[in-house]
Amino acid sequence: MTIDWSAFTPITALAGGLLIGLAAIILVLFNGRILGVSGIVGSLFGLGTHDAGWRIAFIAGMLSVPVVSLMTGNVPQVHIDAGWGTLILAGLLVGIGTRYGAGCTSGHGVCGLSRLSWRSVVATVLFIAAGAATVFVIRHLI
């Protein structure tokens, strides 16, 4: 693996991290909820969702970022070495994993770790280990 240091953008990475942290703080202060994107999205599909308004607004905010990037002309080059079938399967597996893990990387990795939750520490370590194992299998065994 090589790192393209010319493409490393610490300022935008820091700004993105600060925005994620700010979103987590705002959500917990105003809604008393922990920011976990899989839970926010997944709860929209549950029966009797009475708090769909803020969830839809949150998702709309996330989806607006690429539009803003397009409008400012700051669009990164993205190259994905996978077909649609692989991407759909990967998305389904991530969705299943977030249900079994009772949360996703935003819920456990960002909010759980900042609250010093041992459950989130274990979940985050397992997320990273599963990702590393998947890359190893895909690149070296298949």
Side-chain angles (χ1 to χ4, degrees):
M1 179 176 92
T2 59
I3 297 174
D4 182 7
W5 289 105
S6 64
F8 178 58
T9 56
I11 302 299
T12 54
L14 178 63
L18 290 172
L19 287 172
I20 291 169
L22 182 63
I25 290 169
I26 289 171
L27 192 60
V28 80
L29 286 178
F30 291 104
N31 276 14
R33 310 290 286 216
I34 299 299
L35 188 147
V37 177
S38 65
I40 292 170
V41 173
S43 294
L44 278 176
F45 299 105
L47 298 175
T49 302
H50 64 281
D51 57 353
W54 72 266
R55 294 174 190 275
I56 292 169
F58 183 86
I59 294 166
M62 286 193 327
L63 295 176
S64 69
V65 172
V67 175
V68 172
S69 292
L70 283 170
M71 291 169 45
T72 62
N74 188 14
V75 181
Q77 292 291 340
V78 177
H79 178 73
I80 300 172
D81 291 326
W84 282 105
T86 302
L87 293 175
I88 290 169
L89 177 63
L92 289 172
L93 289 173
V94 167
I96 292 167
T98 61
R99 285 295 182 189
Y100 280 117
C104 58
T105 52
S106 58
H108 285 298
V110 175
C111 297
L113 292 180
S114 66
R115 293 182 300 119
L116 303 176
S117 165
W118 280 108
R119 178 177 147 200
S120 292
V121 170
V122 171
T124 304
V125 167
L126 290 174
F127 293 156
I128 293 169
T134 301
V135 169
F136 179 79
V137 168
I138 296 295
R139 293 205 175 158
H140 301 290
L141 300 180
I142 295 181

